[in-house]
Amino acid sequence: MPEQQNLFNTEPEPWDEDDQAEQFVATVVLLDGPELQFDYAVPDELRDRIEPGCRVRVPLGRNDRLRTGYCVRLESKASGPRRLKPVGELIDRRSLLSPAMLRLTRWIADRYLCGWSTVLETVLPAGVRVKAGTRLTTLLSINPEAAERLLELKLPEKQAVVMKVLAAFDRPFTPGELARAAKCTQGPITSLRRKGLIRSQTGRVQNIRHEISEPRGLSPRQALPQDKPGGSPVKYLKLNPDQQRALDAVLTALNSREHKTVLIHGVTGSGKTEVYMQAIREVVRFGRQAIVLVPEISLTPQTVERFRSRFGEIAVLHSHLTDAERHWHWQRIVEGEVSVVVGARSAIFAPTPDLGLIVLDEEHESSFKQSTAPRYHARDVAIARASAEDVPLVLGSATPSLESWHRAKTGEYTLVEMPRRVLNRPMPHVGTIDLRVGKSGHSSHGAISRQLHTAIVAALDGGGQVILLLNRRGFATHIQCPACGHVMRCPECDIALTHHRTEEIALCHYCDYEVPAPTACPQCDFTGIRYGGLGTQRLESEVRRRFPGANCLRMDTDTMQGRDAHGRALAAFRSGEVKILLGTQMIAKGLDFPNVTLVGVINADTALHLPDFRAAERTFHLITQVAGRTGRGEKGGRVLVQTYSPDHPAVHAATRHDYAAFAAGELPIRKMLRYPPFAAMVRLVIRGPVESTTAEFADELSKRLDIALKQQKAAARVLGPAPAPFARLRGKYRFQIQLQGHDGERLRAAVRQATADLKPPEDVQWIVDVDPLDMM
């Protein structure tokens, strides 16, 4: 990172008089200025109010224009020959980021090669920054002197009740809240304010109203989870030996009062969630908090309700919250009003004051990696945060990432195996259906083979439900003229357009370019234009035609855009109203429906042959995870996988539920090719509107990286520049450079050095992705 800068005036200013030996200095990171840290003098009137983590406005440049930034450090420094410019204004009354969170944001900026200000704005939700859902109002609290002699005061009955209410709660009230709590009018409150027994001040309060139910000394965070309203205790399930062994490993880490990472490798349906909840119960019993991260796609009402039924009030953080809702949850977490935070990727930044445990479920999920700056991985941030705060981290998955598996096998993590399902239910039988011509009696008419059709009929006749997975949206994946061969492509992305029959459009899934679906070839006017390929819309049409008596529901990003659409769809399936659920990967993970007796994978090869070294791993994950949706009830279940590659090691291992075999076959290949987990990786993508200019800049950057790697003495290789697999997106040509080496810190140092004074041509942009997951 650039050296920290001092801002000195070129002209003498009033504050230049009477140099002092020391001055109180705030170090500020600006939001819209240079990626530097600047020192400012703290005026006396702000000295007792400013804290690290507060936002401030400070003067910058010759015209002293006020800029917004974050105070990241306060310290006394020896005065130089000229005094520093003073902090202009304090925006926040209290710190928005704790010292530990500030240190974590600095670590993220260094690790993922991005600006500190970018990380700070990511960690702090917009709703918190703008105080969404709040209003300015009068706040009333008890005068501390009156609180000390409350029993001595001789007050009228209603005034005494008001004072008792204020004394029982350690937070201020609005006049209306206080009147409702004391069951009185404003008269007694006004009298107490005149007597000086109640203090008033102006502050912000949430617009969301909630009943006051907990007196001082018994916040929900301090209450035991079994202390539910009405006194009925929560019944915790008796664990089987595998679950107990996993829980013991987590409790050992908790009791050691130091950071340890525990990887729970449990097959689907092995009861990992129950282990998490019983571990969290121990954390909450000691007055501490837990963060549970799940993929956004798995953050279903069913998941939330399982935690809420055990722990009462919880905070739920996900992308569909309004700014006001996110701010409200944030305040409750900061004030310790909730013991458990459940959320997607960004919940790792929840401002828990007494963190005791972090759980990251489905840790292999790619959605834990952010696709825009800062391009952090929630798993690695969780490791850094848990280590800094000396708390355990639990990673759980039926299909761990090979990075986590390797670390567990080499002793960096504690590995716990849960190889059996609860109640010793058998794993579902998985069979493959060979889609190659002439194999397994497959007919080319439609997406569903004869074997799968027969199995669906049998499942429905037996009262069961069916899940069908196809990881492609739309009706047809390409539109081609059989006369002249023309394929309809996106003019901005040079990618085939997908036909969406519901809207009768041809749509680009990358930039949202759309045109009406053609009835004739745009090139030669041939009317027999062909809609080829298979998407979820076409599959839905076929299912409705073949099984008219079974209610069918499609779940993909096209149908799940409404608020709570996901929850309503799953509720309909859980109730039995829907018999066949089909969709993309959002139906493959985290769902628990005991009546599902058949899962069909329509095409297991959709991602298997992509130019991505993780393609086989992703295919194994997807098949294994969707297979785990069946066989969870008394009826048992089976899985049928349609594939053109039945002999591929990933498909073969997935059909046998054999993660160890898959890892044993895949890891030597990774090691030989110097891919993670045996090497670190940094990917740079350069994009611009003119292909030649973009290519020239990519070549210059590659040469800079070669020089920097040699100077850093990094044993690494540079691949590229080369056109990215998607060579043109949104009107920009794309080139990529890939760095691979054993020392990740030296790779990052080389990138910092090579890009320190890099000035791309006009309209050319570049991004850096540390530990990339998206290679396209």
Side-chain angles (χ1 to χ4, degrees):
M1 297 295 290
E3 292 295 322
Q4 183 171 311
Q5 302 292 304
N6 288 336
L7 283 187
F8 298 111
N9 291 313
T10 56
E11 299 293 335
E13 298 285 0
W15 54 81
D16 285 340
E17 301 172 2
D18 299 328
D19 282 350
Q20 298 177 1
E22 283 192 342
Q23 55 185 329
F24 197 44
V25 174
T27 302
V28 177
V29 174
L30 298 177
L31 297 184
D32 58 351
E35 285 292 349
L36 302 169
Q37 299 170 44
F38 297 100
D39 280 351
Y40 288 89
V42 178
D44 289 342
E45 63 269 21
L46 296 182
R47 193 178 183 109
D48 294 333
R49 295 162 51 201
I50 192 170
E51 296 178 274
C54 286
R55 288 174 300 165
V56 294
R57 290 192 178 93
V58 292
L60 183 69
R62 289 181 177 272
N63 61 0
D64 285 342
R65 178 187 168 196
L66 289 180
R67 303 285 189 92
T68 300
Y70 285 85
C71 172
V72 296
R73 185 168 51 253
L74 290 170
E75 58 186 327
S76 294
K77 286 187 176 182
S79 299
R82 293 178 183 270
R83 293 205 183 171
L84 303 174
K85 293 182 179 181
V87 173
E89 182 184 340
L90 183 63
I91 298 175
D92 305 304
R93 289 192 172 189
R94 64 177 183 178
S95 174
L96 300 178
L97 299 165
S98 68
M101 190 59 68
L102 283 172
R103 290 191 293 271
L104 183 65
T105 58
R106 179 74 229 202
W107 177 87
I108 293 171
D110 291 341
R111 171 64 183 260
Y112 294 101
L113 302 176
C114 62
W116 196 356
S117 63
T118 302
V119 182
L120 290 167
E121 289 285 271
T122 298
V123 167
L124 202 62
V128 176
R129 297 197 299 269
V130 302
K131 301 179 175 63
T134 65
R135 68 184 189 278
L136 279 173
T137 188
T138 300
L139 297 177
L140 305 177
S141 57
I142 193 168
N143 187 316
E145 295 179 3
E148 292 176 3
R149 54 190 183 89
L150 187 61
L151 297 178
E152 304 171 9
L153 296 174
K154 303 297 183 181
L155 297 170
E157 181 181 353
K158 289 189 177 181
Q159 292 184 23
V161 171
V162 172
M163 294 295 286
K164 287 179 181 178
V165 169
L166 285 173
F169 293 87
D170 55 359
R171 69 169 186 83
F173 286 71
T174 66
E177 285 178 331
L178 185 54
R180 287 192 297 272
K183 298 179 180 178
C184 68
T185 64
Q186 290 295 322
I189 297 172
T190 302
S191 297
L192 290 169
R193 292 173 68 177
R194 288 172 180 164
K195 294 175 181 178
L197 299 178
I198 292 180
R199 297 189 308 181
S200 65
Q201 61 182 7
T202 300
R204 286 192 171 270
V205 297
Q206 297 283 344
N207 289 331
I208 304 173
R209 291 183 175 179
H210 292 267
E211 291 297 322
I212 302 162
S213 58
E214 296 291 345
R216 180 187 296 179
L218 185 61
S219 68
R221 181 169 60 89
Q222 295 166 317
L224 294 179
Q226 63 264 32
D227 295 337
K228 297 189 71 180
S232 56
V234 175
K235 291 184 179 179
Y236 281 81
L237 302 177
K238 181 175 175 58
L239 303 182
N240 64 30
D242 292 341
Q243 290 174 307
Q244 189 62 54
R245 189 167 57 252
L247 178 60
D248 289 344
V250 178
L251 294 182
T252 298
L254 282 170
N255 293 332
S256 70
R257 297 184 177 275
E258 61 184 22
H259 167 67
K260 289 182 182 177
T261 299
V262 179
L263 175 62
I264 299 178
H265 174 217
V267 299
T268 56
S270 59
K272 296 184 290 294
T273 303
E274 184 63 31
V275 174
Y276 305 154
M277 289 200 279
Q278 295 205 21
I280 292 169
R281 177 195 185 196
E282 292 301 306
V283 172
V284 175
R285 284 182 60 202
F286 288 98
R288 306 192 73 182
Q289 295 161 290
I291 296 174
V292 183
L293 300 181
V294 298
E296 179 100 32
I297 206 170
S298 301
L299 195 57
T300 63
Q302 182 184 24
T303 302
V304 172
E305 184 53 36
R306 292 180 73 176
F307 283 94
R308 187 166 283 141
S309 67
R310 296 291 182 90
F311 303 106
E313 284 296 312
I314 64 172
V316 183
L317 303 177
H318 56 79
S319 63
H320 298 298
L321 293 177
T322 66
D323 283 348
E325 289 170 333
R326 189 176 292 275
H327 184 209
W328 180 70
H329 280 299
W330 186 272
Q331 289 300 122
R332 295 172 70 223
I333 297 168
V334 167
E335 293 165 8
E337 294 180 2
V338 292
S339 55
V340 181
V341 179
V342 181
R345 178 178 63 228
S346 62
I348 189 56
F349 303 122
T352 48
D354 292 306
L355 184 62
L357 177 68
I358 302 175
V359 175
L360 201 147
D361 193 27
E362 308 291 1
E363 68 86 29
H364 64 278
E365 261 293 312
S366 60
S367 63
F368 283 125
K369 181 80 156 72
Q370 177 147 305
S371 59
T372 57
R375 293 174 173 82
Y376 68 92
H377 197 301
R379 180 186 62 225
D380 296 327
V381 175
I383 292 170
R385 183 173 183 184
S387 177
E389 300 195 31
D390 281 329
V391 301
L393 168 64
V394 177
L395 306 176
S397 178
T399 54
S401 65
L402 288 175
E403 288 85 348
S404 293
W405 179 256
H406 178 69
R407 289 169 185 167
K409 281 296 189 180
T410 55
E412 188 175 341
Y413 299 166
T414 299
L415 176 63
V416 183
E417 299 273 11
M418 294 174 60
R420 288 167 286 273
R421 284 188 158 185
V422 294
L423 303 178
N424 286 318
R425 289 195 174 108
M427 295 297 292
H429 175 265
V430 182
T432 57
I433 298 173
D434 194 338
L435 295 180
R436 292 174 293 185
V437 175
K439 304 287 186 179
S440 302
H442 171 61
S443 167
S444 61
H445 301 294
I448 299 173
S449 63
R450 281 200 292 267
Q451 298 99 311
L452 182 55
H453 179 98
T454 302
I456 293 173
V457 171
L460 295 175
D461 288 346
Q465 292 172 288
V466 178
I467 289 178
L468 299 177
L469 171 72
L470 175 61
N471 207 23
R472 276 187 179 164
R473 294 161 50 204
F475 189 86
T477 56
H478 60 275
I479 305 169
Q480 185 172 25
C481 175
C484 69
H486 173 72
V487 176
M488 289 195 67
R489 293 182 173 274
C490 173
E492 297 295 316
C493 300
D494 197 27
I495 289 173
L497 297 176
T498 299
H499 177 219
H500 285 246
R501 195 167 73 170
T502 305
E503 304 89 349
E504 280 302 334
I505 58 172
L507 176 69
C508 175
H509 286 173
Y510 294 88
C511 73
D512 293 331
Y513 169 84
E514 66 176 70
V515 293
T519 56
C521 175
Q523 293 286 100
C524 70
D525 291 329
F526 179 69
T527 56
I529 194 162
R530 182 175 299 162
Y531 292 84
L534 177 65
T536 49
Q537 284 188 1
R538 174 169 275 177
L539 176 61
E540 179 187 22
S541 177
E542 182 176 339
V543 168
R544 292 187 185 280
R545 187 179 68 253
R546 288 187 182 223
F547 309 100
N551 197 3
C552 168
L553 178 68
R554 170 166 58 96
M555 286 185 67
D556 55 27
T557 53
D558 297 319
T559 60
M560 296 292 109
Q561 293 182 355
R563 187 174 178 87
D564 198 34
H566 195 250
R568 291 196 303 272
L570 295 181
F573 191 60
R574 185 178 299 108
S575 69
E577 176 188 345
V578 171
K579 296 299 183 183
I580 301 176
L581 180 67
L582 67 91
T584 54
Q585 62 178 341
M586 67 172 59
I587 67 171
K589 302 154 190 179
L591 306 181
D592 187 355
F593 298 114
N595 198 42
V596 173
T597 57
L598 175 67
V599 166
V601 179
I602 300 301
N603 187 348
D605 309 329
T606 51
L608 185 57
H609 303 297
L610 292 176
D612 183 342
F613 72 93
R614 288 191 176 89
E617 183 179 10
R618 289 198 177 103
T619 299
F620 176 84
H621 288 173
L622 193 59
I623 296 174
T624 303
Q625 290 289 337
V626 75
R629 300 314 107 206
T630 188
R632 291 173 173 252
E634 298 294 336
K635 296 179 181 179
R638 63 185 295 210
V639 183
L640 290 175
V641 179
Q642 297 185 159
T643 175
Y644 291 96
S645 309
D647 299 322
H648 192 284
V651 176
H652 191 58
T655 60
R656 294 184 291 124
H657 307 286
D658 196 343
Y659 177 85
F662 169 73
E666 186 72 9
L667 283 172
I669 299 173
R670 297 274 186 96
K671 187 174 184 179
M672 178 179 65
L673 298 175
R674 286 193 289 177
Y675 280 123
F678 300 100
M681 182 182 293
V682 178
R683 181 178 185 240
L684 295 99
V685 178
I686 303 94
R687 55 181 181 250
V690 180
E691 185 175 15
S692 59
T693 304
T694 308
E696 288 172 6
F697 177 72
D699 190 57
E700 177 193 345
L701 179 54
S702 178
K703 292 174 182 176
R704 282 172 164 253
L705 289 166
D706 271 323
I707 294 170
L709 286 168
K710 290 174 183 176
Q711 292 178 350
Q712 294 290 337
K713 298 180 180 179
R717 63 175 178 173
V718 180
L719 301 178
F726 291 147
R728 189 164 175 256
L729 283 179
R730 302 176 186 90
K732 301 290 182 68
Y733 292 92
R734 304 169 74 245
F735 293 83
Q736 65 179 14
I737 302 170
Q738 193 169 296
L739 310 184
Q740 293 171 229
H742 293 293
D743 191 334
E745 183 48 51
R746 293 197 181 197
L747 286 187
R748 293 189 289 273
V751 175
R752 288 191 199 98
Q753 178 181 328
T755 60
D757 56 351
L758 187 64
K759 295 181 179 179
E762 187 178 358
D763 294 331
V764 173
Q765 301 167 316
W766 60 275
I767 62 103
V768 57
D769 190 1
V770 176
D771 305 326
L773 291 186
D774 180 7
M775 305 302 296
M776 302 302 288

